[in-house]
Amino acid sequence: MQRYVLNKQPLCVECLKNNRITPATVVDHIKPHKGNEDLFYDINNLQSLCKSCHDRKTAKEDGRWKRKVYTY
């Protein structure tokens, strides 16, 4: 699924919003799944981001170091 999303949208969607062209390297969940498998596997809940944008978004959502790890 990751390969599909990156092929479909090869540029970082956040950078594009700011008129920057940056290759996407990470597939991100638009709405955090928080263990919800339906959200985790929902193709419409995925977006392409560069590592910098992904790290910034994840830190903001997770409170930086208070991240929970989900296992399936």
Side-chain angles (χ1 to χ4, degrees):
M1 201 169 4
Q2 180 174 343
R3 200 174 289 163
Y4 171 79
V5 174
L6 290 173
N7 283 333
K8 183 178 172 187
Q9 178 53 265
L11 300 176
C12 174
V13 296
E14 285 299 316
C15 286
L16 285 174
K17 290 178 186 177
N18 295 302
N19 297 317
R20 292 189 312 263
I21 297 175
T22 309
T25 56
V26 180
V27 175
D28 174 67
H29 292 91
I30 298 166
K31 181 177 178 183
H33 61 85
K34 297 184 180 183
N36 179 328
E37 289 188 38
D38 291 333
L39 277 179
F40 185 85
Y41 292 108
D42 183 358
I43 193 81
N44 296 312
N45 189 40
L46 300 175
Q47 65 183 348
S48 298
L49 296 176
C50 66
K51 184 174 181 338
S52 177
C53 285
H54 180 263
D55 290 353
R56 188 169 33 258
K57 179 180 179 277
T58 301
K60 182 179 177 184
E61 290 173 350
D62 294 345
R64 196 147 192 84
W65 305 115
K66 296 177 184 176
R67 186 174 188 182
K68 290 184 179 180
V69 176
Y70 299 96
T71 57
Y72 300 95

